[in-house]
mmCIF file of all heavy atoms in Angstrom:
data_model
loop_
_atom_site.group_PDB
_atom_site.id
_atom_site.type_symbol
_atom_site.label_atom_id
_atom_site.label_comp_id
_atom_site.label_asym_id
_atom_site.label_seq_id
_atom_site.Cartn_x
_atom_site.Cartn_y
_atom_site.Cartn_z
ATOM 1 N N LYS A 1213 0.823 -1.196 -0.010
ATOM 2 C CA LYS A 1213 0.015 -0.005 -0.022
ATOM 3 C C LYS A 1213 0.863 1.263 0.014
ATOM 4 O O LYS A 1213 0.535 2.210 -0.691
ATOM 5 C CB LYS A 1213 -0.962 0.000 1.206
ATOM 6 C CG LYS A 1213 -2.036 -1.016 1.092
ATOM 7 C CD LYS A 1213 -2.969 -0.963 2.285
ATOM 8 C CE LYS A 1213 -4.048 -2.028 2.190
ATOM 9 N NZ LYS A 1213 -4.908 -2.009 3.331
ATOM 10 N N ALA A 1214 1.939 1.249 0.771
ATOM 11 C CA ALA A 1214 2.811 2.407 0.823
ATOM 12 C C ALA A 1214 3.469 2.652 -0.557
ATOM 13 O O ALA A 1214 3.590 3.783 -1.023
ATOM 14 C CB ALA A 1214 3.883 2.260 1.875
ATOM 15 N N GLY A 1215 3.872 1.569 -1.214
ATOM 16 C CA GLY A 1215 4.493 1.665 -2.519
ATOM 17 C C GLY A 1215 3.539 2.203 -3.567
ATOM 18 O O GLY A 1215 3.869 3.036 -4.397
ATOM 19 N N THR A 1216 2.263 1.769 -3.492
ATOM 20 C CA THR A 1216 1.224 2.240 -4.423
ATOM 21 C C THR A 1216 0.973 3.758 -4.167
ATOM 22 O O THR A 1216 0.864 4.498 -5.136
ATOM 23 C CB THR A 1216 -0.069 1.442 -4.211
ATOM 24 O OG1 THR A 1216 0.201 0.080 -4.462
ATOM 25 C CG2 THR A 1216 -1.145 1.928 -5.164
ATOM 26 N N SER A 1217 0.889 4.124 -2.916
ATOM 27 C CA SER A 1217 0.668 5.567 -2.602
ATOM 28 C C SER A 1217 1.827 6.378 -3.106
ATOM 29 O O SER A 1217 1.652 7.483 -3.671
ATOM 30 C CB SER A 1217 0.554 5.746 -1.108
ATOM 31 O OG SER A 1217 -0.581 5.045 -0.633
ATOM 32 N N GLN A 1218 3.042 5.918 -2.878
ATOM 33 C CA GLN A 1218 4.229 6.623 -3.343
ATOM 34 C C GLN A 1218 4.251 6.798 -4.877
ATOM 35 O O GLN A 1218 4.479 7.884 -5.370
ATOM 36 C CB GLN A 1218 5.498 5.901 -2.884
ATOM 37 C CG GLN A 1218 6.770 6.599 -3.258
ATOM 38 C CD GLN A 1218 8.009 5.921 -2.804
ATOM 39 O OE1 GLN A 1218 7.996 4.706 -2.503
ATOM 40 N NE2 GLN A 1218 9.128 6.611 -2.763
ATOM 41 N N LYS A 1219 3.893 5.733 -5.544
ATOM 42 C CA LYS A 1219 3.846 5.780 -6.998
ATOM 43 C C LYS A 1219 2.771 6.794 -7.507
ATOM 44 O O LYS A 1219 3.064 7.526 -8.421
ATOM 45 C CB LYS A 1219 3.543 4.415 -7.595
ATOM 46 C CG LYS A 1219 3.544 4.386 -9.073
ATOM 47 C CD LYS A 1219 3.292 3.001 -9.637
ATOM 48 C CE LYS A 1219 3.236 3.095 -11.179
ATOM 49 N NZ LYS A 1219 2.963 1.803 -11.790
ATOM 50 N N MET A 1220 1.668 6.806 -6.851
ATOM 51 C CA MET A 1220 0.583 7.770 -7.240
ATOM 52 C C MET A 1220 1.036 9.206 -7.031
ATOM 53 O O MET A 1220 0.821 10.026 -7.907
ATOM 54 C CB MET A 1220 -0.685 7.473 -6.440
ATOM 55 C CG MET A 1220 -1.448 6.254 -6.832
ATOM 56 S SD MET A 1220 -2.884 5.874 -5.819
ATOM 57 C CE MET A 1220 -3.776 7.407 -5.907
ATOM 58 N N VAL A 1221 1.713 9.457 -5.918
ATOM 59 C CA VAL A 1221 2.171 10.835 -5.666
ATOM 60 C C VAL A 1221 3.235 11.217 -6.711
ATOM 61 O O VAL A 1221 3.210 12.334 -7.223
ATOM 62 C CB VAL A 1221 2.682 10.925 -4.233
ATOM 63 C CG1 VAL A 1221 3.448 12.260 -4.004
ATOM 64 C CG2 VAL A 1221 1.556 10.809 -3.245
ATOM 65 N N LEU A 1222 4.162 10.322 -6.977
ATOM 66 C CA LEU A 1222 5.230 10.651 -7.966
ATOM 67 C C LEU A 1222 4.600 10.852 -9.372
ATOM 68 O O LEU A 1222 5.042 11.747 -10.082
ATOM 69 C CB LEU A 1222 6.259 9.520 -7.959
ATOM 70 C CG LEU A 1222 7.170 9.482 -6.702
ATOM 71 C CD1 LEU A 1222 8.070 8.248 -6.738
ATOM 72 C CD2 LEU A 1222 7.972 10.775 -6.589
ATOM 73 N N ASN A 1223 3.628 10.045 -9.718
ATOM 74 C CA ASN A 1223 2.974 10.254 -10.982
ATOM 75 C C ASN A 1223 2.266 11.609 -11.090
ATOM 76 O O ASN A 1223 2.343 12.264 -12.091
ATOM 77 C CB ASN A 1223 1.970 9.125 -11.287
ATOM 78 C CG ASN A 1223 2.606 7.828 -11.731
ATOM 79 O OD1 ASN A 1223 3.737 7.839 -12.132
ATOM 80 N ND2 ASN A 1223 1.893 6.735 -11.602
ATOM 81 N N MET A 1224 1.616 12.014 -9.954
ATOM 82 C CA MET A 1224 0.989 13.316 -9.993
ATOM 83 C C MET A 1224 1.979 14.406 -10.144
ATOM 84 O O MET A 1224 1.806 15.419 -10.878
ATOM 85 C CB MET A 1224 0.149 13.502 -8.716
ATOM 86 C CG MET A 1224 -1.077 12.641 -8.653
ATOM 87 S SD MET A 1224 -2.210 12.944 -7.288
ATOM 88 C CE MET A 1224 -1.136 13.323 -5.900
ATOM 89 N N LEU A 1225 3.105 14.315 -9.413
ATOM 90 C CA LEU A 1225 4.153 15.337 -9.492
ATOM 91 C C LEU A 1225 4.758 15.457 -10.882
ATOM 92 O O LEU A 1225 4.918 16.548 -11.441
ATOM 93 C CB LEU A 1225 5.235 15.065 -8.479
ATOM 94 C CG LEU A 1225 4.922 15.305 -7.031
ATOM 95 C CD1 LEU A 1225 6.006 14.762 -6.128
ATOM 96 C CD2 LEU A 1225 4.641 16.762 -6.774
ATOM 97 N N THR A 1226 5.082 14.330 -11.496
ATOM 98 C CA THR A 1226 5.683 14.333 -12.798
ATOM 99 C C THR A 1226 4.701 14.798 -13.861
ATOM 100 O O THR A 1226 5.083 15.546 -14.777
ATOM 101 C CB THR A 1226 6.304 13.015 -13.219
ATOM 102 O OG1 THR A 1226 5.305 12.006 -13.147
ATOM 103 C CG2 THR A 1226 7.472 12.622 -12.320
ATOM 104 N N THR A 1227 3.432 14.410 -13.743
ATOM 105 C CA THR A 1227 2.422 14.851 -14.698
ATOM 106 C C THR A 1227 2.274 16.341 -14.608
ATOM 107 O O THR A 1227 2.173 17.041 -15.627
ATOM 108 C CB THR A 1227 1.094 14.110 -14.452
ATOM 109 O OG1 THR A 1227 1.288 12.723 -14.613
ATOM 110 C CG2 THR A 1227 0.022 14.594 -15.376
ATOM 111 N N GLY A 1228 2.226 16.877 -13.395
ATOM 112 C CA GLY A 1228 2.103 18.340 -13.223
ATOM 113 C C GLY A 1228 3.301 19.081 -13.796
ATOM 114 O O GLY A 1228 3.159 20.098 -14.447
ATOM 115 N N ALA A 1229 4.503 18.512 -13.564
ATOM 116 C CA ALA A 1229 5.709 19.163 -14.101
ATOM 117 C C ALA A 1229 5.682 19.154 -15.653
ATOM 118 O O ALA A 1229 6.026 20.161 -16.267
ATOM 119 C CB ALA A 1229 6.927 18.447 -13.586
ATOM 120 N N MET A 1230 5.319 18.024 -16.212
ATOM 121 C CA MET A 1230 5.306 17.957 -17.683
ATOM 122 C C MET A 1230 4.235 18.853 -18.251
ATOM 123 O O MET A 1230 4.475 19.472 -19.345
ATOM 124 C CB MET A 1230 5.021 16.487 -18.116
ATOM 125 C CG MET A 1230 6.115 15.545 -17.789
ATOM 126 S SD MET A 1230 7.684 16.005 -18.560
ATOM 127 C CE MET A 1230 8.827 15.206 -17.517
ATOM 128 N N THR A 1231 3.157 19.004 -17.630
ATOM 129 C CA THR A 1231 2.103 19.934 -18.071
ATOM 130 C C THR A 1231 2.603 21.380 -17.999
ATOM 131 O O THR A 1231 2.418 22.152 -18.933
ATOM 132 C CB THR A 1231 0.810 19.755 -17.188
ATOM 133 O OG1 THR A 1231 0.398 18.410 -17.286
ATOM 134 C CG2 THR A 1231 -0.271 20.683 -17.676
ATOM 135 N N ARG A 1232 3.221 21.765 -16.880
ATOM 136 C CA ARG A 1232 3.731 23.139 -16.754
ATOM 137 C C ARG A 1232 4.839 23.443 -17.775
ATOM 138 O O ARG A 1232 4.976 24.588 -18.225
ATOM 139 C CB ARG A 1232 4.259 23.386 -15.388
ATOM 140 C CG ARG A 1232 3.126 23.499 -14.344
ATOM 141 C CD ARG A 1232 3.604 23.836 -12.961
ATOM 142 N NE ARG A 1232 4.253 25.120 -12.921
ATOM 143 C CZ ARG A 1232 3.679 26.236 -12.572
ATOM 144 N NH1 ARG A 1232 2.415 26.275 -12.251
ATOM 145 N NH2 ARG A 1232 4.387 27.359 -12.531
ATOM 146 N N LEU A 1233 5.623 22.417 -18.141
ATOM 147 C CA LEU A 1233 6.699 22.617 -19.130
ATOM 148 C C LEU A 1233 6.122 22.706 -20.550
ATOM 149 O O LEU A 1233 6.871 23.057 -21.484
ATOM 150 C CB LEU A 1233 7.695 21.492 -19.018
ATOM 151 C CG LEU A 1233 8.595 21.534 -17.805
ATOM 152 C CD1 LEU A 1233 9.370 20.214 -17.686
ATOM 153 C CD2 LEU A 1233 9.545 22.698 -17.847
ATOM 154 N N GLY A 1234 4.875 22.347 -20.754
ATOM 155 C CA GLY A 1234 4.242 22.420 -22.073
ATOM 156 C C GLY A 1234 4.447 21.169 -22.867
ATOM 157 O O GLY A 1234 4.347 21.207 -24.105
ATOM 158 N N TYR A 1235 4.770 20.067 -22.218
ATOM 159 C CA TYR A 1235 5.024 18.813 -22.937
ATOM 160 C C TYR A 1235 3.768 17.992 -23.110
ATOM 161 O O TYR A 1235 3.798 16.893 -23.661
ATOM 162 C CB TYR A 1235 6.015 17.981 -22.182
ATOM 163 C CG TYR A 1235 7.405 18.534 -22.076
ATOM 164 C CD1 TYR A 1235 8.304 18.024 -21.186
ATOM 165 C CD2 TYR A 1235 7.807 19.619 -22.888
ATOM 166 C CE1 TYR A 1235 9.617 18.533 -21.072
ATOM 167 C CE2 TYR A 1235 9.106 20.132 -22.762
ATOM 168 C CZ TYR A 1235 9.967 19.610 -21.861
ATOM 169 O OH TYR A 1235 11.235 20.075 -21.764
ATOM 170 N N VAL A 1236 2.623 18.566 -22.708
ATOM 171 C CA VAL A 1236 1.318 17.858 -22.783
ATOM 172 C C VAL A 1236 0.383 18.662 -23.659
ATOM 173 O O VAL A 1236 0.336 19.904 -23.587
ATOM 174 C CB VAL A 1236 0.701 17.699 -21.374
ATOM 175 C CG1 VAL A 1236 -0.689 17.070 -21.501
ATOM 176 C CG2 VAL A 1236 1.631 16.868 -20.513
ATOM 177 N N TYR A 1237 -0.310 17.992 -24.533
ATOM 178 C CA TYR A 1237 -1.302 18.608 -25.376
ATOM 179 C C TYR A 1237 -2.603 17.796 -25.258
ATOM 180 O O TYR A 1237 -2.598 16.611 -25.603
ATOM 181 C CB TYR A 1237 -0.906 18.686 -26.840
ATOM 182 C CG TYR A 1237 -1.851 19.450 -27.697
ATOM 183 C CD1 TYR A 1237 -1.852 20.861 -27.698
ATOM 184 C CD2 TYR A 1237 -2.750 18.806 -28.525
ATOM 185 C CE1 TYR A 1237 -2.767 21.600 -28.441
ATOM 186 C CE2 TYR A 1237 -3.663 19.504 -29.314
ATOM 187 C CZ TYR A 1237 -3.657 20.862 -29.263
ATOM 188 O OH TYR A 1237 -4.557 21.560 -30.036
ATOM 189 N N GLY A 1238 -3.643 18.386 -24.720
ATOM 190 C CA GLY A 1238 -4.817 17.580 -24.419
ATOM 191 C C GLY A 1238 -4.465 16.615 -23.305
ATOM 192 O O GLY A 1238 -3.918 16.962 -22.297
ATOM 193 N N ASN A 1239 -4.715 15.340 -23.583
ATOM 194 C CA ASN A 1239 -4.312 14.296 -22.595
ATOM 195 C C ASN A 1239 -3.138 13.488 -23.141
ATOM 196 O O ASN A 1239 -2.923 12.351 -22.741
ATOM 197 C CB ASN A 1239 -5.516 13.423 -22.287
ATOM 198 C CG ASN A 1239 -5.978 12.650 -23.499
ATOM 199 O OD1 ASN A 1239 -5.703 13.000 -24.630
ATOM 200 N ND2 ASN A 1239 -6.740 11.587 -23.241
ATOM 201 N N LEU A 1240 -2.386 14.086 -24.078
ATOM 202 C CA LEU A 1240 -1.277 13.336 -24.683
ATOM 203 C C LEU A 1240 0.071 13.938 -24.340
ATOM 204 O O LEU A 1240 0.239 15.158 -24.377
ATOM 205 C CB LEU A 1240 -1.438 13.408 -26.249
ATOM 206 C CG LEU A 1240 -2.707 12.770 -26.813
ATOM 207 C CD1 LEU A 1240 -2.880 13.186 -28.235
ATOM 208 C CD2 LEU A 1240 -2.707 11.302 -26.646
ATOM 209 N N MET A 1241 1.032 13.091 -24.029
ATOM 210 C CA MET A 1241 2.390 13.534 -23.785
ATOM 211 C C MET A 1241 3.066 13.655 -25.170
ATOM 212 O O MET A 1241 3.304 12.659 -25.850
ATOM 213 C CB MET A 1241 3.133 12.506 -22.924
ATOM 214 C CG MET A 1241 4.580 12.858 -22.683
ATOM 215 S SD MET A 1241 4.816 14.264 -21.618
ATOM 216 C CE MET A 1241 4.286 13.566 -20.053
ATOM 217 N N VAL A 1242 3.290 14.888 -25.577
ATOM 218 C CA VAL A 1242 3.744 15.107 -26.955
ATOM 219 C C VAL A 1242 5.281 15.255 -27.033
ATOM 220 O O VAL A 1242 5.836 15.396 -28.159
ATOM 221 C CB VAL A 1242 3.080 16.313 -27.578
ATOM 222 C CG1 VAL A 1242 1.608 16.080 -27.773
ATOM 223 C CG2 VAL A 1242 3.294 17.583 -26.819
ATOM 224 N N ASN A 1243 5.944 15.232 -25.924
ATOM 225 C CA ASN A 1243 7.415 15.365 -25.946
ATOM 226 C C ASN A 1243 8.078 14.016 -26.051
ATOM 227 O O ASN A 1243 8.933 13.659 -25.285
ATOM 228 C CB ASN A 1243 7.928 16.127 -24.697
ATOM 229 C CG ASN A 1243 9.269 16.690 -24.948
ATOM 230 O OD1 ASN A 1243 9.602 17.080 -26.063
ATOM 231 N ND2 ASN A 1243 10.046 16.784 -23.878
ATOM 232 N N VAL A 1244 7.669 13.226 -27.065
ATOM 233 C CA VAL A 1244 8.218 11.912 -27.317
ATOM 234 C C VAL A 1244 9.438 12.060 -28.173
ATOM 235 O O VAL A 1244 9.399 12.819 -29.163
ATOM 236 C CB VAL A 1244 7.156 11.048 -27.993
ATOM 237 C CG1 VAL A 1244 7.732 9.678 -28.380
ATOM 238 C CG2 VAL A 1244 5.926 10.907 -27.200
ATOM 239 N N HIS A 1245 10.521 11.408 -27.844
ATOM 240 C CA HIS A 1245 11.730 11.428 -28.701
ATOM 241 C C HIS A 1245 11.820 10.086 -29.380
ATOM 242 O O HIS A 1245 12.311 9.112 -28.808
ATOM 243 C CB HIS A 1245 12.958 11.696 -27.844
ATOM 244 C CG HIS A 1245 12.941 12.954 -27.114
ATOM 245 N ND1 HIS A 1245 13.170 14.187 -27.762
ATOM 246 C CD2 HIS A 1245 12.636 13.307 -25.851
ATOM 247 C CE1 HIS A 1245 13.043 15.167 -26.918
ATOM 248 N NE2 HIS A 1245 12.723 14.656 -25.732
ATOM 249 N N PRO A 1246 11.348 9.992 -30.664
ATOM 250 C CA PRO A 1246 11.271 8.694 -31.330
ATOM 251 C C PRO A 1246 12.638 8.187 -31.769
ATOM 252 O O PRO A 1246 13.125 8.451 -32.851
ATOM 253 C CB PRO A 1246 10.340 8.989 -32.506
ATOM 254 C CG PRO A 1246 10.489 10.461 -32.782
ATOM 255 C CD PRO A 1246 10.787 11.058 -31.426
#
């Protein structure tokens, strides 16, 4: 349970950071390096 909670918090932080950096368009992560 602690690991799941930690993963959820880290996912929220990274998603927020990527959104603020402008790497998200709609619900898509567009900063993919193919």
